[in-house]
Amino acid sequence: MGICGVPEVIYSSPNLATSNIIIIVISVINLVWESIPKYRKDKSIETFFIVDTVCVSYFTLDLVLRIMSTPSLRNFLKVVLNWFDFLAIVPFYVELIVGRESASGLAAFRILRLFRITRLFKLIRHSSRMMLMMEVVSNCLSELVMLFLTWVMGTLIFGTIMFYIEESDSSDFKSILHACWWAAVTMTTVGYGDLYPKTPLGQSIGSVILSLA
């Protein structure tokens, strides 16, 4: 089944597909808008909660109907996007069970709230090109893991080298972890400028890393 497997009959209706996209977009806008500080502590928060309730109710009904209509529950559970659908609605129900005020103060719940943004993954089902891209990523997963491990190794190697080259009381590299942060942003971008080598040797190594990246 892979990452994007889904019973196509569920979204065969253009009207249903359009309504799905509209609800997803409204849900994401609501999620972003309620994070604005001036709306967090006034009566607007109730409006955000009502909108979220409507959207989650729709997502829940959609998930339940797809579970009921799937020919094989085992294959359904093997699809990664279906788990994202589940994670997208879990924070809302946890908040209802625990209580909104109590849940907001829990560090674990704040982490759980991050999964609300997985609602964006629902859009993948409505784009054949995005589904194809996800399948390509799935098929190349082992190569991508190797690429990531290579990047991690480079970050650790160059971070350690830079830490010991720049080691002094006035150095910005207070630990190997600080140096690894510098190596990571230098290898992936041009750096943020918050950390940089000050010694001639360190600057030379930094130039080499930039040219290799």
Side-chain angles (χ1 to χ4, degrees):
M1 295 289 287
I3 291 180
C4 303
V6 60
E8 296 297 333
V9 67
I10 296 295
Y11 298 114
S12 58
S13 169
N15 292 333
L16 181 57
T18 301
S19 64
N20 272 328
I21 293 173
I22 291 173
I23 294 295
I24 293 167
V25 171
I26 291 174
S27 174
V28 173
I29 292 175
N30 186 65
L31 172 64
V32 174
W33 205 263
E34 72 173 357
S35 67
I36 299 175
K38 70 176 183 178
Y39 296 126
R40 290 181 186 174
K41 296 182 179 180
D42 60 15
K43 294 182 179 179
S44 299
I45 199 69
E46 295 299 328
T47 303
F48 292 130
F49 180 74
I50 293 172
V51 173
D52 198 41
T53 300
V54 173
C55 292
V56 171
S57 299
Y58 183 91
F59 295 147
T60 303
L61 179 61
D62 173 69
L63 182 60
V64 170
L65 289 177
R66 285 193 287 114
I67 291 174
M68 293 174 61
S69 63
T70 184
S72 171
L73 183 60
R74 177 177 296 181
N75 289 335
F76 184 88
L77 295 176
K78 290 180 181 179
V79 179
V80 177
L81 285 180
N82 291 334
W83 285 100
F84 280 134
D85 290 344
F86 176 72
L87 290 173
I89 62 176
V90 165
F92 176 82
Y93 291 109
V94 171
E95 187 174 354
L96 283 183
I97 294 171
V98 177
R100 293 173 61 191
E101 304 245 340
S102 304
S104 297
L106 298 175
F109 180 75
R110 288 198 295 271
I111 295 174
L112 189 62
R113 268 184 169 176
L114 293 174
F115 290 112
R116 293 168 67 188
I117 199 61
T118 58
R119 296 170 188 177
L120 275 174
F121 288 108
K122 288 175 170 289
L123 291 174
I124 294 176
R125 287 196 173 90
H126 303 286
S127 171
S128 58
R129 292 182 180 181
M130 291 183 69
M131 290 179 69
L132 178 60
M133 184 183 71
M134 293 295 291
E135 288 296 336
V136 170
V137 171
S138 177
N139 293 334
C140 299
L141 193 58
S142 59
E143 289 80 5
L144 292 174
V145 169
M146 287 301 300
L147 180 64
F148 175 74
L149 290 176
T150 302
W151 173 77
V152 170
M153 290 172 61
T155 298
L156 289 171
I157 291 170
F158 288 121
T160 302
I161 291 173
M162 191 59 67
F163 170 73
Y164 285 112
I165 289 177
E166 294 287 312
E167 189 176 16
S168 68
D169 292 337
S170 60
S171 174
D172 291 330
F173 301 95
K174 303 301 181 184
S175 67
I176 290 179
L177 286 177
H178 278 89
C180 283
W181 161 252
W182 171 85
V185 298
T186 301
M187 290 173 64
T188 54
T189 65
V190 294
Y192 289 125
D194 54 340
L195 296 175
Y196 56 89
K198 297 178 181 178
T199 64
L201 181 57
Q203 291 171 348
S204 299
I205 297 295
S207 299
V208 171
I209 297 174
L210 278 172
S211 62
L212 291 176

